[in-house]
């Protein structure tokens, strides 16, 4: 089944064609970074407007890259939430109309389930069950995954998401937007042991996260060492990154141990972080676990992951209805 996937939950307009939830025919991502850069963060109204401009060319490009006529598409999958409502509505309404006009089945899916299913777009996907760490700009959670659809939430952040903390620390140091990638790169030149930032493990047996304390510790350090902030920026970012990565990797390993899972996955925008990939891979090797982290282009928001999870819901016979609406906050399922 060839599915056209559409994603517009935040600041990327994306479309993809994926067969049977695993084979990518095309994946087009139009980023709005340049639009939001001057504001240091995503401006929802601008995001919606840019999605409106980009959605038709991006879908056309995805079909062209896949070498497919619109008639060859079997179904449509689109992000229903969570995300920015105005942004979501652009993709959701487009997908609804495109499918309705062609008499095709269509399904609105959860963005987070999309990220989790991104590992099935890799040549060696994990077997079920596995434990997944989802780390993005809006979410930081651990899931026990027993099937493509419907996952068990084991814990999540009580305040900032990991990506949000990376972005805010980059902003404090005037490094630019979006900060995650910049911090990852700069930290290679720094000493991760230079500053001992706190590791917010909370209850070491639970799977909740909290990154606002770590973020405040970095802020305090910058305020009390203004010269160091200029001269030792890489040491600060490397030390912050190390603290965040330590906690993320620890909780993921704990979750695998509690669930007696031999397979783990890391997904979402922050899964692009080299230090996180390195640490999780090293710990997993020690413990004999198999690790599944998608290639960088499938870590950030994309529509291939939306088509992938959509395939499994459609196969189960699920369909969205024309009166269905988007949702802004976290909930799992369609
Ligand atoms: O999954 P994603 O593209 O969008 C959301 O669903 O939120 O994640 C975006 C987040 C941003 O906060 C960005 O700074 C972060 O992922 N990110 C990174 C890296 N690349 C992107 N964080 C740390 N290291 C990176 N290399
Ligand atoms: Zn995302």
């Amino acid at each position: 089944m060839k599915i056209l996937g559409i994603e517009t939950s935040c600041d990327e307009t994306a479309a993809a064609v994926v067969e049977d939830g695993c084979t990518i025919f095309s994946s087009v991502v139009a980023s709005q970074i340049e639009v939001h850069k001057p504001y240091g963060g995503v401006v929802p109204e601008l995001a919606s407007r840019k999605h409106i401009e980009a959605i038709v060319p991006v879908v056309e490009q995805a079909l062209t890259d896949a070498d497919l006529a619109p008639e060859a598409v079997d179904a449509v999958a689109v992000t229903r939430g969570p995300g920015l409502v105005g942004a979501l509505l652009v993709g959701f309404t487009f997908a609804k109309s495109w499918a309705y006009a062609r008499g095709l089945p269509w399904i609105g899916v959860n963005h987070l389930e999309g990220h989790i299913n991104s590992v099935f777009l890799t040549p060696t996907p994990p077997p079920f069950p596995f434990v997944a760490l989802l780390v993005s700009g809006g979410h930081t959670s651990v899931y026990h995954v027993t099937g493509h659809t419907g996952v068990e939430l084991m814990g999540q952040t009580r305040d900032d998401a990991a990506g949000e903390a990376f972005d805010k620390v980059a902003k404090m140091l005037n490094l630019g937007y979006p900060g995650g990638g910049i911090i990852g790169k700069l930290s290679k030149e720094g000493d991760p042991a230079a500053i001992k930032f706190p590791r917010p493990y909370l209850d070491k047996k639970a799977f909740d996260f909290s990154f606002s304390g770590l973020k405040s510790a970095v802020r305090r350090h910058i305020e009390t060492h203004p010269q160091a902030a200029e001269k030792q920026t890489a040491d600060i970012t490397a030390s912050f990154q190390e603290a965040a990565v330590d906690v993320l990797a620890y909780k993921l390993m704990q979750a695998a141990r509690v669930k007696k899972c031999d397979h783990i996955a890391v997904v979402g925008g922050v899964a692009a972080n080299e230090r996180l990939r390195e640490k999780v891979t090293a710990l997993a090797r020690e413990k004999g676990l198999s690790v599944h982290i998608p290639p960088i282009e499938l870590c950030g928001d994309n529509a291939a992951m939306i088509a992938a999870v959509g395939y499994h819901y459609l196969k189960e016979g699920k369909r969205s209805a024309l009166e269905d609406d988007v949702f802004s906050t976290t909930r799992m399922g369609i």
Side-chain angles (χ1 to χ4, degrees), residues 12 111 115 136-138 163-164 166-167 178-181 184 268-270 272-273 299-301:
E12 262 103 19
H111 181 83
H115 274 301
S136 72
E164 199 178 346
F166 272 80
D167 294 338
V270 185
N273 185 274
C299 290
D301 289 347

Side-chain angles (χ1 to χ4, degrees), residues 7 9-12 82 111-112 115 134-139 161-167 177-185 241 267-274 296 299-302 305:
E7 151 68 38
S9 67
C10 190
D11 58 345
E12 262 103 19
H111 181 83
L112 308 180
H115 274 301
L134 165 63
V135 265
S136 72
H139 299 87
E164 199 178 346
F166 272 80
D167 294 338
Y177 165 87
I182 300 171
I183 287 193
K185 225 178 262 166
Q241 175 177 271
V267 297
V270 185
N273 185 274
E274 273 183 50
I296 308 290
C299 290
D301 289 347
N302 65 86
M305 66 186 198

Side-chain angles (χ1 to χ4, degrees), residues 11-171:
D11 58 345
E12 262 103 19
T13 316
V17 179
V18 175
E19 188 171 48
D20 297 342
C22 58
T23 309
I24 301 177
F25 282 20
S26 66
S27 180
V28 179
V29 180
S31 165
Q32 301 180 358
I33 285 179
E34 292 308 317
V35 177
H36 303 290
K37 214 179 222 168
Y39 306 94
V42 178
V43 182
E45 174 67 20
L46 290 182
S48 313
R49 288 168 188 254
K50 286 291 154 188
H51 285 312
I52 290 171
E53 283 172 25
I55 189 76
V56 171
V58 164
V59 168
E60 281 177 352
Q61 192 61 50
L63 292 170
T64 305
D65 289 357
D67 204 13
L68 282 186
E71 299 72 48
V73 171
D74 300 307
V76 180
V78 60
T79 306
R80 186 174 181 191
L84 302 169
V85 165
L88 285 163
L89 275 172
V90 177
F92 199 68
T93 311
F94 180 94
K96 210 183 244 193
S97 319
W98 202 89
Y100 181 69
R102 289 171 176 76
L104 293 178
W106 70 284
I107 187 92
V109 300
N110 187 298
H111 181 83
L112 308 180
E113 284 194 329
H115 274 301
I116 294 168
N117 274 269
S118 63
V119 288
F120 296 99
L121 297 165
T122 64
T124 50
F128 295 116
F130 63 93
V131 168
L133 171 69
L134 165 63
V135 265
S136 72
H139 299 87
T140 298
S141 344
V142 179
Y143 300 95
H144 185 226
V145 187
T146 52
H148 289 282
T149 63
V151 295
E152 179 202 341
L153 176 67
M154 295 178 69
Q156 62 187 325
T157 184
R158 295 181 187 173
D159 40 58
D160 290 355
E164 199 178 346
F166 272 80
D167 294 338
K168 286 180 179 166
V169 166
K171 207 169 177 176

